[in-house]
Amino acid sequence: MRTLTTTADLAAFCKEAHGQPYVTVDTEFLRERTYYSKLCLVQLAMPGEGDENAVLVDPLAEGMSLEPLFDLFRDTNVVKVFHAARQDLEIFWVESRVFPEPLFDTQVAAMVCGFGEQAGYETLVRRIAKASVDKSSRFTDWSRRPLSDAQKKYALADVTYLRQIYEYLAAELEKTNRSRWVAEELQILTNPATYEAAPKDAWKRVKTRTNSPKFLALVQALAAFRERHAQTNNIPRNRVFKDDALVELASAKPRTVSDLGGLRLLLREARRGAIADGILEAVERGMNCPADKMPQPDRRREKLQVNPALADLLRVLLKSKTESSGVAAKLIAPSADLDLIAAGERDVPALSGWRHEVFGADALRLCDGKIGLAAKGQLVVVVEL
């Protein structure tokens, strides 16, 4: 199990990888105590067998630069293969402002190839590589050195079996002409906006029971302060204050440090110093927010008139399409999208791109009364009207 601890060694590996058709990639990181993930290990493997052509890269080693890896990411002749790539890509984007290109995500590909929704890596290893993965080291502290042999073995397995999984799924996609479908899905993963956490929009993640604009103005101001403070100090949002404390602050509208002391859900550290000052300033800003600047709740869905019978028919149609295509239903159209279509909405992901081919075209014909559904033995089939 080879571990690279110098930039020169990483550069030598990447130089060889530039001549390969693909390289598999995974990371180990910590995020429990920080806002941004702390990259602790990078695993890489070129085509081969077992641990052959596979390495561990220690980004915590003194003097280590990952620039040779980022240069490999920019090489469009080498496919970069990940499983469930989102968190890995976020780390690399924050670290270097680079996305691997071209990208292949085996989790997305597996959903397109009939392995169900959110197919886990262990499932794919078992079903495709006919092997098993020891996950006992999953929750260990990857920042501690030296790494144990068990940790190294676990980490390498995440890229060695990935070679077989990639080769199998890529062949399946080529055989079924679905490579374009996966490419469409991966566009969102290589969009910088996917990883931007703008403080002004942080309030949208907070669940509240009250949707009055005045109350939401307070939530917006408090959430924006929390996001900025967490980013600046690289600490988790919940270390500033949790969502339930944020809602309590928006309801209580504290004006002084003394007022903060009477709040039940606020952490002790938030009742003084920079956090306390920030809270009071945010409350003041929220209370003085002009009416035309107050956030407005999205009431579009409340106003939609969903045809429940049509929504049920769309669910039956979706089930029929998933059974015939082998594509996971959740990937084609979540339940909320079906309700939107049944309410007359047409700007819905399920009606565009590759989803239009699999489901959307017939969904629109069903809505227009041009087709019906009928039972044929154990199957549901489309009937022209």
Side-chain angles (χ1 to χ4, degrees), residues 113-116 119 121-131 168:
C113 291
F115 285 86
Y121 184 65
E122 300 99 308
T123 300
L124 297 182
V125 169
R126 186 175 65 253
R127 294 178 61 181
I128 295 175
K130 309 303 181 187
Y168 175 87

Side-chain angles (χ1 to χ4, degrees), residues 32-185:
E32 291 80 4
R33 298 185 293 272
T34 57
Y35 182 90
Y36 300 104
S37 296
K38 179 181 180 180
L39 181 62
C40 299
L41 194 69
V42 181
Q43 304 98 281
L44 303 169
M46 294 181 285
E49 299 292 334
D51 292 346
E52 177 188 334
N53 295 335
V55 296
L56 304 174
V57 181
D58 188 354
L60 303 182
E62 185 176 354
M64 170 64 83
S65 168
L66 295 181
E67 188 53 41
L69 176 61
F70 300 147
D71 188 48
L72 179 61
F73 283 176
R74 298 183 188 101
D75 186 345
T76 56
N77 293 315
V78 182
V79 178
K80 272 64 72 171
V81 182
F82 293 75
H83 180 82
R86 193 187 189 288
Q87 286 186 302
D88 302 313
L89 298 190
E90 181 179 14
I91 292 171
F92 291 129
W93 176 250
V94 170
E95 179 88 12
S96 66
R97 289 297 189 264
V98 64
F99 287 120
E101 185 184 359
L103 170 69
F104 190 97
D105 189 323
T106 56
Q107 185 177 70
V108 176
M111 293 173 74
V112 169
C113 291
F115 285 86
E117 298 176 2
Q118 301 295 319
Y121 184 65
E122 300 99 308
T123 300
L124 297 182
V125 169
R126 186 175 65 253
R127 294 178 61 181
I128 295 175
K130 309 303 181 187
S132 61
V133 179
D134 179 5
K135 306 298 282 187
S136 60
S137 296
R138 176 186 298 181
F139 299 113
T140 56
D141 185 347
W142 291 98
S143 67
R144 297 186 65 179
R145 295 294 184 270
L147 295 173
S148 68
D149 285 347
Q151 285 178 301
K152 292 179 180 180
K153 183 178 180 181
Y154 163 87
L156 272 181
D158 279 347
V159 288
T160 52
Y161 292 122
L162 193 55
R163 296 177 295 200
Q164 281 179 266
I165 293 169
Y166 164 67
E167 291 175 4
Y168 175 87
L169 293 175
E172 284 295 301
L173 293 171
E174 186 70 24
K175 185 166 60 178
T176 56
N177 294 315
R178 294 181 178 182
S179 297
R180 176 176 55 83
W181 298 7
V182 173
E184 281 185 33
E185 288 304 295

Side-chain angles (χ1 to χ4, degrees), residues 167-307:
E167 291 175 4
Y168 175 87
L169 293 175
E172 284 295 301
L173 293 171
E174 186 70 24
K175 185 166 60 178
T176 56
N177 294 315
R178 294 181 178 182
S179 297
R180 176 176 55 83
W181 298 7
V182 173
E184 281 185 33
E185 288 304 295
L186 297 183
Q187 286 178 2
I188 191 171
L189 290 180
T190 54
N191 182 349
T194 301
Y195 309 100
E196 291 175 0
K200 66 181 178 62
D201 295 324
W203 68 277
K204 296 176 182 178
R205 290 193 298 268
V206 180
K207 293 181 180 179
T208 65
R209 293 182 179 179
T210 304
N211 282 327
S212 95
K214 288 184 178 180
F215 182 78
L216 291 180
L218 285 159
V219 171
Q220 182 183 49
L222 287 162
F225 159 69
R226 180 177 67 172
E227 200 75 16
R228 284 193 298 270
H229 188 85
Q231 290 175 346
T232 301
N233 294 279
N234 196 23
I235 59 175
R237 296 183 191 95
N238 286 348
R239 284 272 301 279
V240 186
F241 46 81
K242 297 182 179 180
D243 281 3
D244 54 0
L246 190 155
V247 174
E248 182 183 40
L249 286 164
S251 300
K253 306 180 191 65
R255 308 302 293 272
T256 67
V257 172
S258 178
D259 292 339
L260 295 178
L263 297 178
R264 182 172 58 90
L265 299 174
L266 200 61
L267 296 172
R268 183 180 304 170
E269 295 79 6
R271 299 168 191 255
R272 59 179 183 271
I275 297 180
D277 292 341
I279 288 173
L280 297 177
E281 290 173 10
V283 169
E284 186 72 20
R285 188 164 58 253
M287 291 184 67
N288 293 323
C289 181
D292 62 340
K293 300 292 185 182
M294 291 179 179
Q296 300 295 322
D298 186 354
R299 301 189 184 280
R300 288 177 301 169
R301 295 205 174 192
E302 295 176 11
K303 296 177 181 178
L304 291 174
Q305 298 297 314
V306 178
N307 181 332

Side-chain angles (χ1 to χ4, degrees), residues 19 36 50 70 182 308 312 316 341 356 379:
Y36 300 104
F70 300 147
V182 173
D312 287 343
V316 174
I341 297 170
H356 184 267
L379 302 176

